[in-house]
Amino acid sequence: NFQLEVARAYLNEDMYFPHNLDFRGRAYPIPPYLNHMGADNCRGLLRFSKGKELGTAGLFWLKVHLANVYGYDKASLQEREAFAMEHLADVYDSATNPLNGKRWWLGAEDEWQCLAACFELKHALDSPDPTRYVSHLPIHQDGTCNGLQHYAALGGDKAGAQQVNLEPRDRPSDIYSAVASLVEAEVDTEAAEGNMKAVTLKGKITRKVVKQTVMTNVYGVTFIGARAQVQKQLEILLPDLPRDKPDLTHNALAGYIAAKIFKSLGALFTGARAIQKWFGECANRIATTITSEQIEQLGRESRGEVIYLAPKLKDKALQKGKKRIQPTLMFRSSIIWTTPLKMPVVQPYRSVKSREIATNIQNISFVDPHATDPISRRKQLQGFPPNFIHSLDATHMLLSALKCDEEGLSFASVHDSFWTHAADIPKMNLVLRDAFVAMHGEDIIGRLASEFAARYKGSIYLASVYKRSKVGEQIHAWRSVKYASKRHANSAKHQIPELFEEAERQRLLSSEDPELRKQGEEMVTPASIFLAANDPSAFAVPSEIAMSELGRIDESASPEEAREDADLFASAFSDPSSAALAEAAEHNTVVDVEGEQYETSSDSDEAMDSVGAVTSGERDTSDKEKAMLDRVTEVTRELRADGAYVVPPRKRRPQHYKLSLWLPLTFPPVPEKGDFDVTRLKESQYFFS
């Protein structure tokens, strides 16, 4: 009602929507209640102030728009036009008597926008010459899962490009239906083999079941988040599942499907998966980086000189009673990149603790952010891939808006949905395609790699390797001799001395004096041991990015364990218990341990960031995760006591130990790009439609 009152106050008045850009360049209207990014009822109320005659092309696109907002948007353009004409009687009835007639418009996907289109089409057809009708209605052109469009172009994925309409085709492709078909084929195969989950789900895999997970996977949805999304759909499709079969609960079946969705996406977008992996590796190194200036500062602090940390960090940096500097509190390098529009993007995620002030009336909590706060490593890593893609779609939107303004087109956008007059849709479509090709015609990933190398030159980062790897054993043996102790060889207290040693080695190696370079070459540090071994497989994959790749579940697991990943711990939770887990998953408050994900709260940032990557000799399982396992056991006992069903015990995964070491900051090679030619999308009529 309030939105209607705002609309009534501006009835027949010209309005402008000033916009803010967020840190990625995405544009959001400032007026909060009535704007074109609002709900369907808001969009249905808004029209362009200036009208344009439809023309033949405009009349065609008005009919296509009606089919689109009704929900008939997977057919060819000609079939959509025919849909509008076949329902012309319904259109007239909706426009003439919207409340007391057949109310056909209420069956639309976007009801109010459909009603607005019905009014516009009726007025046009009732005019003496429909092509001369002056239309004010915004007509939309939407991308096909725009994030995947960018990934397919970045990775040069031919198969993926076909599924998101970058490749010219006679009919529009539907990535959601394609993934649903792949999942359904696997389910049918396993049902024939007697898999009871597959038997239960046979014939139940619809486009709607997979859509939300496919849509959000590219933006970093976790496995638990995906499982929660699928579970919502299964609860509608299968409301009467037996409660005495723990392997056939909604939660277990949702995990089974989510794993297959991830696998299908990984198969379709191989290049995108490689890029996401590269994003994660780069982000992990940057998030644990210490610059040369910070190393100098640490040196002064270790000698008892003035500490230049913010006052609230001094007590943290010097651990109680030991006066030992904690280097991970120096991790303050945000991930920074520049968009093709030359806009710098700085991820703002830092670990900020709330403070509480007690008053006579109540306790007041507030946060005190500061530029010197340590970064939130988890958020930096998980946020980088989706934020980078968001910065690309923001660039595409702004490039398109600038060109449309040059061409005299009215323009509005909702991220990857672009609006203009019906008569100008052909012109805008050319603009959208030219802007996308111009952007992806450049080597975006190669330029990003060069920017990272220049921006973080001379830095050192805290890496992790598996202790049981060959190089891990060599480093452990060297430390045991150096520190005369096997038990404490990998203690975190050695991090600062080893940091200074590695910084000195790098200084000597970069010297122009041959004698100094020779001294650097003769120095032995964990980094020199690692680089001599030349074994990239020894790197430990950070838990925060282990699930960030398209199709990634857990490649290190055995086949049996990989299958179990799909419904991990599902049978240990009754439906009410899993609801809380699903709610947490929607906020990405999840950690992953050896491919197994557990709920955690936002407070986990403090625990995770306080140790940086992984402290020497630390196991994957943290106190938070152990508490979660205890909770699983507790729920299991409750279920057994209730007698609802008995949960079979699950074996624990073997735990891997990690060693940390300082390495000179370099970045992995840029993934090889596929052979898809992005200029082909200029011929694709369904790229935006």
Side-chain angles (χ1 to χ4, degrees), residues 15 38 59 63-64 74 125 134 143 149 155 244 281 285 395 430 471 506 590 604 638:
M15 295 182 295
L59 184 60
K63 297 172 184 175
V64 171
K74 306 302 177 292
L125 295 178
V134 178
Q149 287 182 323
D244 59 341
E281 291 174 352
R285 298 183 186 191
T395 298
L430 290 175
V471 68
Q506 293 303 313
V590 177
S604 65
E638 291 172 1

PDB file of all heavy atoms in Angstrom, residues 15 38 59 63-64 74 125 134 143 149 155 244 281 285 395 430 471 506 590 604 638:
ATOM      1  N   MET A  15       9.917  11.472 -13.491  1.00  0.00           N
ATOM      2  CA  MET A  15      10.785  11.103 -12.366  1.00  0.00           C
ATOM      3  C   MET A  15      12.141  10.648 -12.900  1.00  0.00           C
ATOM      4  O   MET A  15      12.237  10.116 -14.004  1.00  0.00           O
ATOM      5  CB  MET A  15      10.172   9.951 -11.561  1.00  0.00           C
ATOM      6  CG  MET A  15       8.879  10.263 -10.858  1.00  0.00           C
ATOM      7  SD  MET A  15       8.314   8.830  -9.904  1.00  0.00           S
ATOM      8  CE  MET A  15       7.992   7.650 -11.206  1.00  0.00           C
ATOM      9  N   GLY A  38      12.485  -2.885  -8.001  1.00  0.00           N
ATOM     10  CA  GLY A  38      11.569  -3.389  -6.997  1.00  0.00           C
ATOM     11  C   GLY A  38      10.838  -4.632  -7.479  1.00  0.00           C
ATOM     12  O   GLY A  38      11.172  -5.240  -8.504  1.00  0.00           O
ATOM     13  N   LEU A  59       6.024  -3.380 -32.664  1.00  0.00           N
ATOM     14  CA  LEU A  59       4.812  -4.158 -32.418  1.00  0.00           C
ATOM     15  C   LEU A  59       5.161  -5.628 -32.192  1.00  0.00           C
ATOM     16  O   LEU A  59       4.590  -6.294 -31.311  1.00  0.00           O
ATOM     17  CB  LEU A  59       3.860  -4.016 -33.605  1.00  0.00           C
ATOM     18  CG  LEU A  59       2.492  -4.694 -33.471  1.00  0.00           C
ATOM     19  CD1 LEU A  59       1.725  -4.145 -32.276  1.00  0.00           C
ATOM     20  CD2 LEU A  59       1.678  -4.534 -34.758  1.00  0.00           C
ATOM     21  N   LYS A  63       4.672  -7.843 -28.494  1.00  0.00           N
ATOM     22  CA  LYS A  63       4.037  -9.159 -28.352  1.00  0.00           C
ATOM     23  C   LYS A  63       4.991 -10.167 -27.698  1.00  0.00           C
ATOM     24  O   LYS A  63       4.583 -10.960 -26.839  1.00  0.00           O
ATOM     25  CB  LYS A  63       3.590  -9.670 -29.724  1.00  0.00           C
ATOM     26  CG  LYS A  63       2.519  -8.808 -30.394  1.00  0.00           C
ATOM     27  CD  LYS A  63       2.265  -9.257 -31.823  1.00  0.00           C
ATOM     28  CE  LYS A  63       1.263  -8.340 -32.527  1.00  0.00           C
ATOM     29  NZ  LYS A  63       1.088  -8.701 -33.967  1.00  0.00           N
ATOM     30  N   VAL A  64       6.269 -10.113 -28.110  1.00  0.00           N
ATOM     31  CA  VAL A  64       7.260 -11.009 -27.503  1.00  0.00           C
ATOM     32  C   VAL A  64       7.395 -10.707 -26.007  1.00  0.00           C
ATOM     33  O   VAL A  64       7.486 -11.620 -25.169  1.00  0.00           O
ATOM     34  CB  VAL A  64       8.619 -10.856 -28.216  1.00  0.00           C
ATOM     35  CG1 VAL A  64       9.713 -11.605 -27.447  1.00  0.00           C
ATOM     36  CG2 VAL A  64       8.538 -11.377 -29.649  1.00  0.00           C
ATOM     37  N   LYS A  74      10.800 -19.583 -23.247  1.00  0.00           N
ATOM     38  CA  LYS A  74      11.781 -20.577 -23.682  1.00  0.00           C
ATOM     39  C   LYS A  74      11.560 -20.984 -25.138  1.00  0.00           C
ATOM     40  O   LYS A  74      12.302 -21.800 -25.672  1.00  0.00           O
ATOM     41  CB  LYS A  74      11.712 -21.831 -22.796  1.00  0.00           C
ATOM     42  CG  LYS A  74      11.846 -21.550 -21.303  1.00  0.00           C
ATOM     43  CD  LYS A  74      13.148 -20.854 -20.988  1.00  0.00           C
ATOM     44  CE  LYS A  74      13.277 -20.509 -19.518  1.00  0.00           C
ATOM     45  NZ  LYS A  74      12.335 -19.470 -19.085  1.00  0.00           N
ATOM     46  N   LEU A 125      -3.388  -2.118 -30.633  1.00  0.00           N
ATOM     47  CA  LEU A 125      -4.213  -2.790 -31.638  1.00  0.00           C
ATOM     48  C   LEU A 125      -5.519  -2.052 -31.888  1.00  0.00           C
ATOM     49  O   LEU A 125      -6.113  -2.163 -32.977  1.00  0.00           O
ATOM     50  CB  LEU A 125      -4.487  -4.232 -31.203  1.00  0.00           C
ATOM     51  CG  LEU A 125      -3.258  -5.152 -31.126  1.00  0.00           C
ATOM     52  CD1 LEU A 125      -3.648  -6.535 -30.632  1.00  0.00           C
ATOM     53  CD2 LEU A 125      -2.558  -5.246 -32.482  1.00  0.00           C
ATOM     54  N   VAL A 134       2.081   5.344 -30.172  1.00  0.00           N
ATOM     55  CA  VAL A 134       3.205   5.840 -29.362  1.00  0.00           C
ATOM     56  C   VAL A 134       3.221   5.066 -28.044  1.00  0.00           C
ATOM     57  O   VAL A 134       2.342   5.235 -27.196  1.00  0.00           O
ATOM     58  CB  VAL A 134       3.089   7.349 -29.100  1.00  0.00           C
ATOM     59  CG1 VAL A 134       4.248   7.818 -28.213  1.00  0.00           C
ATOM     60  CG2 VAL A 134       3.083   8.117 -30.422  1.00  0.00           C
ATOM     61  N   GLY A 143      19.509 -11.502 -20.109  1.00  0.00           N
ATOM     62  CA  GLY A 143      20.560 -12.468 -20.411  1.00  0.00           C
ATOM     63  C   GLY A 143      20.183 -13.856 -19.933  1.00  0.00           C
ATOM     64  O   GLY A 143      19.304 -14.032 -19.085  1.00  0.00           O
ATOM     65  N   GLN A 149      27.284 -16.856 -18.745  1.00  0.00           N
ATOM     66  CA  GLN A 149      27.670 -16.286 -20.034  1.00  0.00           C
ATOM     67  C   GLN A 149      29.078 -15.703 -19.955  1.00  0.00           C
ATOM     68  O   GLN A 149      29.905 -15.904 -20.848  1.00  0.00           O
ATOM     69  CB  GLN A 149      26.667 -15.215 -20.471  1.00  0.00           C
ATOM     70  CG  GLN A 149      25.334 -15.776 -20.931  1.00  0.00           C
ATOM     71  CD  GLN A 149      24.375 -14.684 -21.394  1.00  0.00           C
ATOM     72  OE1 GLN A 149      24.332 -13.591 -20.829  1.00  0.00           O
ATOM     73  NE2 GLN A 149      23.598 -14.970 -22.426  1.00  0.00           N
ATOM     74  N   GLY A 155      36.343 -18.595 -20.359  1.00  0.00           N
ATOM     75  CA  GLY A 155      36.989 -19.896 -20.501  1.00  0.00           C
ATOM     76  C   GLY A 155      37.008 -20.433 -21.912  1.00  0.00           C
ATOM     77  O   GLY A 155      37.657 -21.446 -22.181  1.00  0.00           O
ATOM     78  N   ASP A 244      10.784 -43.416   8.316  1.00  0.00           N
ATOM     79  CA  ASP A 244      11.542 -44.509   8.929  1.00  0.00           C
ATOM     80  C   ASP A 244      12.734 -44.934   8.069  1.00  0.00           C
ATOM     81  O   ASP A 244      13.371 -45.947   8.344  1.00  0.00           O
ATOM     82  CB  ASP A 244      10.626 -45.713   9.170  1.00  0.00           C
ATOM     83  CG  ASP A 244       9.993 -46.220   7.885  1.00  0.00           C
ATOM     84  OD1 ASP A 244       9.971 -45.438   6.894  1.00  0.00           O
ATOM     85  OD2 ASP A 244       9.512 -47.365   7.864  1.00  0.00           O
ATOM     86  N   GLU A 281      43.062 -19.916  -6.114  1.00  0.00           N
ATOM     87  CA  GLU A 281      44.478 -19.992  -5.752  1.00  0.00           C
ATOM     88  C   GLU A 281      45.081 -18.601  -5.606  1.00  0.00           C
ATOM     89  O   GLU A 281      45.849 -18.327  -4.678  1.00  0.00           O
ATOM     90  CB  GLU A 281      45.235 -20.808  -6.802  1.00  0.00           C
ATOM     91  CG  GLU A 281      44.877 -22.288  -6.798  1.00  0.00           C
ATOM     92  CD  GLU A 281      45.533 -23.052  -7.928  1.00  0.00           C
ATOM     93  OE1 GLU A 281      46.150 -22.398  -8.804  1.00  0.00           O
ATOM     94  OE2 GLU A 281      45.445 -24.291  -7.951  1.00  0.00           O
ATOM     95  N   ARG A 285      46.495 -16.762  -1.968  1.00  0.00           N
ATOM     96  CA  ARG A 285      47.842 -16.224  -1.792  1.00  0.00           C
ATOM     97  C   ARG A 285      47.802 -14.746  -1.390  1.00  0.00           C
ATOM     98  O   ARG A 285      48.560 -14.320  -0.508  1.00  0.00           O
ATOM     99  CB  ARG A 285      48.651 -16.414  -3.083  1.00  0.00           C
ATOM    100  CG  ARG A 285      48.816 -17.886  -3.448  1.00  0.00           C
ATOM    101  CD  ARG A 285      49.679 -18.093  -4.680  1.00  0.00           C
ATOM    102  NE  ARG A 285      49.673 -19.514  -5.066  1.00  0.00           N
ATOM    103  CZ  ARG A 285      50.495 -20.045  -5.962  1.00  0.00           C
ATOM    104  NH1 ARG A 285      51.395 -19.280  -6.574  1.00  0.00           N
ATOM    105  NH2 ARG A 285      50.429 -21.327  -6.256  1.00  0.00           N
ATOM    106  N   THR A 395      30.298  -3.798 -15.765  1.00  0.00           N
ATOM    107  CA  THR A 395      31.002  -3.141 -16.871  1.00  0.00           C
ATOM    108  C   THR A 395      30.192  -3.234 -18.154  1.00  0.00           C
ATOM    109  O   THR A 395      30.061  -2.252 -18.903  1.00  0.00           O
ATOM    110  CB  THR A 395      32.384  -3.792 -17.068  1.00  0.00           C
ATOM    111  OG1 THR A 395      33.161  -3.603 -15.882  1.00  0.00           O
ATOM    112  CG2 THR A 395      33.110  -3.181 -18.245  1.00  0.00           C
ATOM    113  N   LEU A 430      21.963  -4.756 -30.774  1.00  0.00           N
ATOM    114  CA  LEU A 430      23.277  -4.592 -31.391  1.00  0.00           C
ATOM    115  C   LEU A 430      24.273  -4.007 -30.394  1.00  0.00           C
ATOM    116  O   LEU A 430      25.431  -4.427 -30.332  1.00  0.00           O
ATOM    117  CB  LEU A 430      23.172  -3.688 -32.629  1.00  0.00           C
ATOM    118  CG  LEU A 430      22.436  -4.270 -33.844  1.00  0.00           C
ATOM    119  CD1 LEU A 430      22.320  -3.205 -34.940  1.00  0.00           C
ATOM    120  CD2 LEU A 430      23.161  -5.503 -34.375  1.00  0.00           C
ATOM    121  N   VAL A 471      57.693 -33.217  -0.065  1.00  0.00           N
ATOM    122  CA  VAL A 471      58.320 -31.951   0.316  1.00  0.00           C
ATOM    123  C   VAL A 471      57.967 -31.590   1.759  1.00  0.00           C
ATOM    124  O   VAL A 471      58.772 -30.997   2.485  1.00  0.00           O
ATOM    125  CB  VAL A 471      57.937 -30.828  -0.663  1.00  0.00           C
ATOM    126  CG1 VAL A 471      56.459 -30.480  -0.561  1.00  0.00           C
ATOM    127  CG2 VAL A 471      58.769 -29.577  -0.407  1.00  0.00           C
ATOM    128  N   GLN A 506      65.308 -13.429  -0.174  1.00  0.00           N
ATOM    129  CA  GLN A 506      64.802 -12.746  -1.365  1.00  0.00           C
ATOM    130  C   GLN A 506      65.591 -11.474  -1.651  1.00  0.00           C
ATOM    131  O   GLN A 506      65.831 -11.124  -2.813  1.00  0.00           O
ATOM    132  CB  GLN A 506      63.311 -12.421  -1.181  1.00  0.00           C
ATOM    133  CG  GLN A 506      62.405 -13.639  -1.133  1.00  0.00           C
ATOM    134  CD  GLN A 506      62.531 -14.497  -2.378  1.00  0.00           C
ATOM    135  OE1 GLN A 506      62.514 -13.995  -3.507  1.00  0.00           O
ATOM    136  NE2 GLN A 506      62.676 -15.810  -2.180  1.00  0.00           N
ATOM    137  N   VAL A 590      29.403 -21.247   6.334  1.00  0.00           N
ATOM    138  CA  VAL A 590      29.740 -22.665   6.251  1.00  0.00           C
ATOM    139  C   VAL A 590      31.252 -22.823   6.157  1.00  0.00           C
ATOM    140  O   VAL A 590      31.919 -22.005   5.549  1.00  0.00           O
ATOM    141  CB  VAL A 590      29.076 -23.284   4.992  1.00  0.00           C
ATOM    142  CG1 VAL A 590      29.462 -24.737   4.840  1.00  0.00           C
ATOM    143  CG2 VAL A 590      27.578 -23.150   5.085  1.00  0.00           C
ATOM    144  N   SER A 604      33.117 -17.342  13.403  1.00  0.00           N
ATOM    145  CA  SER A 604      34.225 -18.193  13.005  1.00  0.00           C
ATOM    146  C   SER A 604      35.304 -17.408  12.297  1.00  0.00           C
ATOM    147  O   SER A 604      36.430 -17.858  12.193  1.00  0.00           O
ATOM    148  CB  SER A 604      33.734 -19.310  12.083  1.00  0.00           C
ATOM    149  OG  SER A 604      33.254 -18.776  10.883  1.00  0.00           O
ATOM    150  N   GLU A 638      19.203 -38.331  20.158  1.00  0.00           N
ATOM    151  CA  GLU A 638      17.817 -37.924  20.380  1.00  0.00           C
ATOM    152  C   GLU A 638      16.877 -38.685  19.453  1.00  0.00           C
ATOM    153  O   GLU A 638      15.819 -39.138  19.861  1.00  0.00           O
ATOM    154  CB  GLU A 638      17.678 -36.416  20.140  1.00  0.00           C
ATOM    155  CG  GLU A 638      18.363 -35.563  21.190  1.00  0.00           C
ATOM    156  CD  GLU A 638      18.367 -34.110  20.801  1.00  0.00           C
ATOM    157  OE1 GLU A 638      17.826 -33.788  19.730  1.00  0.00           O
ATOM    158  OE2 GLU A 638      18.910 -33.304  21.565  1.00  0.00           O
TER     159      GLU A 638
END
